[in-house]
Amino acid sequence: MDFSLSDEERAIRDTARQFITREVVPLELEALRRERAHRPGLEPGELRELQLKAKKFGFWGLSTPAEYGGMDLSAVLQSLIVTETGRTFVQFHFGGEADNILYHCNDEQKREYLIPTIEGDRISCFAITEPGAGSDAANIKLSARRDGDDWVLNGEKTFITNGNDADFAIVVAVTDPEKGARRGGATAFLVDRAMGWRSEFIQTMGEGGPASLVFDDVRVPQRNILGEVGQGFELGMTWIGKGRYLIPSHALGIAERALGMALEYANTRETFGRRIGENQAIQWMLADSEVELEAARWLCLRAAWIVDQGEDPRHSSSMAKLYGAGMVNRVVDRVLQIHGGMGYTRELPIERWYRQVRLMRIYEGTDEMQRLIIARDLLRGYTKVGLI
Ligand SMILES: Cc1cc2nc3c(=O)[nH]c(=O)nc-3n(C[C@H](O)[C@H](O)[C@H](O)COP(=O)(O)OP(=O)(O)OC[C@H]3O[C@@H](n4cnc5c(N)ncnc54)[C@H](O)[C@@H]3O)c2cc1C
């Protein structure tokens, strides 16, 4: 068994770290200042500029196949790089990416949707959740009714990331209510905003926010069906499952950075004539955080490695997501505690992380849904305890 990264993996990881440290971290103070004024920390134009700068370093389309100009990196490398981007709270991500579901586009759709999205000329959002269907996604009701060469969409989606900025949405709608979504009754559509849907911003405890999308007799041509009629639910579930290990990978970066701040504070802040890090109470919080961080790291890397082996990553990704999301919440909470009153202020990014990481236990499958997957796999014997 060899736990070390290859020379290539280390070199790519270190270059990503350099880029984040030199180009993104210096923007943090301004980002915090803007967010406090209820503005985006990074304007879309600034994000684009940074992404193009990163492209010159070779970072473009981490998961994008080479035929579309991407790096087509292994899952392990994607995990390592996403951890690096997690080390800054500036909402930066490398460019040249498109939702993986868009690779089901036909040639014409690729020209109209996939390629412009990869190039950053179009913005997409993926919409399955509805007010009455979140964890129970198969219960969606937004309907698509055939009318000549068109489909007419009616209903509402909610909590859609990028829903306010997207110029097209990938919408999973019910095309055959008799069958039900899970058994071929749902279909995915590519729906331009210009076709008539509108979005409404949802205030959340995080920075920025998702949107609800309202469809009121929105007419979509037949050629905008993504994949096959009846394949929508399956495509949607693949979209959600594929990158699940990336959420805890991002959490690792946040936890590393936050724990680094706690160490520095514990080594400098003095009470009762000595540094707070000399107290066992503080040491235990640091030690528990380091252990959990390290455990989450290996769960993430193993889940990514399983993806690279072409094996089913469902079980390992659910374990990484469940543990990683919980870990970062516990670590950030301890880091806030170690900083005392300062941790609670908006002078530091800790309270921001505290709000941000809470989402990780909810979206792309709640803690409870991950536990459900893990337990079912065990109970059905799909996964054996103790087998590696
Ligand atoms: C900021 C944000 C961004 C999002 N982005 C997107 C997006 O881009 N696209 C999209 O389609 N969706 C998106 N979502 C939706 C997200 O995936 C759902 O919120 C999530 O799946 C949970 O669904 P719900 O909110 O309806 O909660 P519910 O499903 O109503 O669950 C409520 C609670 O009950 C628990 N629960 C439910 N069923 C069971 C059960 N059988 N056993 C035990 N416990 C159970 C849940 O775990 C949860 O704790 C986003 C959500 C947020 C908050």
Side-chain angles (χ1 to χ4, degrees), residues 63-205:
S63 68
T64 304
E67 61 176 303
Y68 299 105
M71 296 171 86
D72 202 8
L73 293 178
S74 67
V76 165
L77 261 167
Q78 287 182 53
S79 168
L80 291 169
I81 293 173
V82 167
T83 297
E84 294 308 314
T85 58
R87 293 167 70 91
T88 174
F89 56 82
V90 175
Q91 286 181 315
F92 169 79
H93 55 93
F94 290 108
E97 295 279 333
D99 269 333
N100 65 53
I101 196 173
L102 287 176
Y103 289 97
H104 293 276
C105 282
N106 60 33
D107 288 345
E108 192 191 334
Q109 292 169 342
K110 276 181 183 163
R111 279 191 297 277
E112 204 177 333
Y113 295 97
L114 172 70
I115 295 169
T117 305
I118 292 173
E119 296 302 326
D121 297 328
R122 296 198 76 172
I123 300 174
S124 71
C125 62
F126 172 78
I128 189 163
T129 303
E130 296 182 6
S135 305
D136 184 11
N139 194 35
I140 53 170
K141 298 282 186 264
L142 189 145
S143 68
R145 180 178 48 81
R146 185 89 198 241
D147 185 26
D149 280 344
D150 294 339
W151 292 79
V152 181
L153 272 57
N154 276 291
E156 185 181 341
K157 295 291 180 186
T158 194
F159 293 135
I160 308 306
T161 305
N162 278 344
N164 277 305
D165 306 316
D167 65 284
F168 76 97
I170 305 153
V171 182
V172 183
V174 177
T175 41
D176 188 342
E178 301 284 296
K179 283 189 182 161
R182 214 181 280 280
R183 282 177 298 280
T187 303
F189 292 87
L190 298 163
V191 193
D192 295 354
R193 189 184 286 267
M195 290 173 185
W197 54 269
R198 61 178 201 280
S199 60
E200 285 163 15
F201 182 78
I202 301 171
Q203 298 272 359
T204 65
M205 65 193 275

Side-chain angles (χ1 to χ4, degrees), residues 225-250:
I225 284 182
L226 181 62
E228 306 287 327
V229 172
Q231 209 191 356
F233 191 72
E234 189 191 321
L235 291 182
M237 290 304 107
T238 320
W239 178 87
I240 290 168
K242 211 162 179 179
R244 194 162 263 164
Y245 67 93
L246 291 174
I247 293 173
S249 303
H250 190 238

